[in-house]
């Protein structure tokens, strides 16, 4: 590593695009390149990516961000202290170890093709045991049934897997394999805990589950700490070898980028959907509200000492910013997403109108796939402004329900909520959120928390930062929203909202 190695190259491999971000030693972004790649929808409910195209697009943006460089000067690979990988989670890749070629398209986390297999396991009474072992709900979302489907469907695949000829990985593993020209086959606990094959308590692959899903052990990557050097990039790729020092799932990376390092800290990301994570400390907390228990990160320690693992509770709201997209594309009452704020602010309140955005059913804590969106309470006085305002409230109120479930499951009373993601720029939405939660909502100066979190994790492993305290000092508040309604008003609001939610439940299956 050269003495002038001062940047971390963060790879943010998302569901629709690959990005590469240069992060400097002050935690600032010094450059970014992004490329979209193709989405395949071969059948209703199926979603696939071409893993080779994912790697090609990732390599292309790495080269682009380096050649564009900083202040008009290209950045050479020997100026990179480390590479950090953060990625879309659960997406499943199966490849040939000898050729490095995928055997089929990657099955994306959104893909529902294994629904029947999950129903079958449910009927066999397996769900509780799976949840106890993995912290996850029995659902096609996670990698296990996707990998089983590939092994069942591709001729000869399971036999070849048994002979050790094939490799499985989520996208972190796939990128590390390609960066190291096949020398590293590894994953970290934040990604591995989303496969439904990892024992959440020991952080080892679970033999009972491997048997249940008929998955040969020889397929599986080694589980390594989230923050720690796992190998070097192939020198031929960028001009010299660069240490790969972090692998982390995207939501956990955002959590780290928000500096939610202690038990009781939480963040919510307002993107297409909303993703909330709560740090529950060094032990997994089981959920009774159908939330997920997951690994936040594992920090590597000098040899001979035990790595420290942080666990989280996680919940998602399906329709966050997507509700605003619907106002724009479905209803056509706004021209762009940011316009919603002024329109909603043009009326003082929703005039008892509620929009329950159950367009694709309701997630935690209700879990009703037959629920459908409901707009209720309209009178002759209702305008598009009321609908816009009800849409924003509908996002914030769903987040309150998830938040309450997290507090119940963990027994932790949260002091504040840190926010990021595209829709967190909306001040009115953030004020509503603070009002309905009854605690402050805090927006940081840098809302690009995913890449930042991965860079922090890699910087810890390569001594750019020595501890989480020195990272905390980089996290700065941009704005704090304080609750401005009384608890009586809050309770009345939530009560009315729950009446509206009830009316949306079960609609698709009367
Ligand atoms: P993703 O990473 O899921 O693509 P982003 O974090 O980029 O999402 O956020 C985009 C989402 O935020 C879109 O669904 C969009 O409708 C919503 N959005 C963007 N700006 C605003 C705004 N000012 N108010 C409300 N929603 C917004």
């Amino acid at each position: 590593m050269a003495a002038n190695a001062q940047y971390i190259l963060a790879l943010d491999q998302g569901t629709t695009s690959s990005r590469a971000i240069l992060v400097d030693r002050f935690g600032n972004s010094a450059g970014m390149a992004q490329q979209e790649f193709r989405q395949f929808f071969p059948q209703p409910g199926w979603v696939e990516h071409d893993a080779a195209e994912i790697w090609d697009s990732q390599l292309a943006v790495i080269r682009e961000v380096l050649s564009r460089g900083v202040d008009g000067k290209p950045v050479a690979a020997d100026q990179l202290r480390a590479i950090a990988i953060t990625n879309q989670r659960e997406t499943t890749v199966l490849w040939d170890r000898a050729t490095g070629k995928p055997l089929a398209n990657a099955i994306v986390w959104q893909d529902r093709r294994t629904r029947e297999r999950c129903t079958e396991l449910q009927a066999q009474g397996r769900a509780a045991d799976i949840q106890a072992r993995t912290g996850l709900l029995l659902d096609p979302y996670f990698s296990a049934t996707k990998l089983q489907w590939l092994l069942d469907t591709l001729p000869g695949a399971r036999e070849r897997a048994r002979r050790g000829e094939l490799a499985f990985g989520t996208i972190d593993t796939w990128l590390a394999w390609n960066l190291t020209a096949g020398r590293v086959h590894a994953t970290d606990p934040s990604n591995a805990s989303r496969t439904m094959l990892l024992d959440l308590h020991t952080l080892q692959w679970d033999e009972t589950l491997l048997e249940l899903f008929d998955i040969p052990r020889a397929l599986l990557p080694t589980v390594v700490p989230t923050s720690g050097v796992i190998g070097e990039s192939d020198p031929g790729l960028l001009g010299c070898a660069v240490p790969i020092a972090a692998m982390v799932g995207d939501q956990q990376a955002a959590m780290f980028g928000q500096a939610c390092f202690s038990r009781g800290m939480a963040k919510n990301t307002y993107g297409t959907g909303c993703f909330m994570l709560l740090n529950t400390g060094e032990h997994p907390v089981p959920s009774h509200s159908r939330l997920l228990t997951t690994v936040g990160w594992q920090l590597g320690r000098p040899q001979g000492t035990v790595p420290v693992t942080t666990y989280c509770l996680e919940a998602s709201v399906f329709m966050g910013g997507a509700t605003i997209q619907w106002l724009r594309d479905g209803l056509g009452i706004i021209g762009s997403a940011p316009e919603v704020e002024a329109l909603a602010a043009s009326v003082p309140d929703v005039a008892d109108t509620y929009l329950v955005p159950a367009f694709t059913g309701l997630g935690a804590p209700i879990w009703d796939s037959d629920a459908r969106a409901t707009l209720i309470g309209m009178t002759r006085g209702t305008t598009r402004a009321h609908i816009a305002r009800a849409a924003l409230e509908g996002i914030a109120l769903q987040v309150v329900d998830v938040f309450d479930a997290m507090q119940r499951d963990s027994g932790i009373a949260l002091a504040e909520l840190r926010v990021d993601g595209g829709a967190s720029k909306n001040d009115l939405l953030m004020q509503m959120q603070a009002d309905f939660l009854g605690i402050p909502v805090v927006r940081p100066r840098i809302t690009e928390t995913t890449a930042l979190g991965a860079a922090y994790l890699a910087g810890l492993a390569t001594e750019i930062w020595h501890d989480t305290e020195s990272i905390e000092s980089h996290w700065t508040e941009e704005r704090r929203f304080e609750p401005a309604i009384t608890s009586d008003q809050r309770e009345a609001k939530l009560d009315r909202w729950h009446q509206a939610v009830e009316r949306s439940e079960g609609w698709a299956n009367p």
Side-chain angles (χ1 to χ4, degrees), residues 104-272:
N105 274 345
I107 305 184
V108 179
W109 56 272
Q110 297 153 323
D111 192 291
R112 308 296 296 171
R113 79 183 64 181
T114 57
R115 189 183 302 198
E116 262 172 41
R117 174 68 180 136
C118 290
T119 309
E120 186 183 292
L121 290 166
Q122 194 90 43
Q124 292 167 7
R126 293 287 191 161
D129 182 52
I130 289 177
Q131 190 184 10
R133 288 170 191 274
T134 66
L136 305 177
L137 300 171
L138 181 48
D139 192 274
Y141 196 86
F142 307 103
S143 315
T145 57
K146 299 182 196 294
L147 180 55
Q148 180 171 35
W149 188 92
L150 286 169
L151 294 172
D152 287 346
T153 310
L154 301 170
R158 193 169 273 105
E159 258 325 296
R160 294 193 63 204
R162 284 209 179 91
R163 290 200 298 268
E165 294 171 22
L166 306 182
F168 152 75
T170 40
I171 296 295
D172 52 317
T173 306
W174 171 243
L175 293 182
W177 172 278
N178 282 285
L179 281 166
T180 60
R183 280 188 288 273
V184 170
H185 185 219
T187 187
D188 92 293
S190 74
N191 279 293
S193 66
R194 318 294 297 194
T195 59
M196 216 156 77
L197 297 171
L198 192 83
D199 180 324
L200 195 64
H201 309 273
T202 62
L203 304 185
Q204 306 287 318
W205 300 117
D206 185 306
E207 291 296 343
T208 306
L209 295 177
L210 295 182
E211 215 168 286
L212 181 65
F213 295 107
D214 201 1
I215 290 170
R217 200 170 226 289
L219 275 174
L220 301 176
T222 309
V223 183
V224 297
T226 308
S227 168
V229 175
I230 59 163
E232 292 189 326
S233 68
D234 187 67
L237 224 47
L238 305 175
C240 73
V242 182
I244 302 169
M247 291 195 284
V248 59
D250 52 9
Q251 291 308 319
Q252 290 98 327
M255 184 77 171
F256 206 84
Q258 284 275 24
C260 289
F261 301 141
S262 349
R263 182 173 177 275
M265 296 182 82
K267 71 92 193 170
N268 190 37
T269 300
Y270 298 80
T272 309

Side-chain angles (χ1 to χ4, degrees), residues 270-273 321-322 324-325 337-338 340 392 421-423 426:
Y270 298 80
T272 309
I324 308 307
Q325 285 169 13
V340 72
L392 289 177
N426 187 316

Side-chain angles (χ1 to χ4, degrees), residues 16 251 269-273 275 320-326 328 334 336-341 392 395 420-427 429 447:
T16 57
Q251 291 308 319
T269 300
Y270 298 80
T272 309
F275 281 93
T323 312
I324 308 307
Q325 285 169 13
W326 177 74
R328 185 193 62 195
I334 48 173
S336 71
E339 280 176 30
V340 72
E341 188 166 358
L392 289 177
I395 298 171
D420 52 51
S424 74
K425 296 195 179 77
N426 187 316
D427 291 345
L429 175 61
T447 53

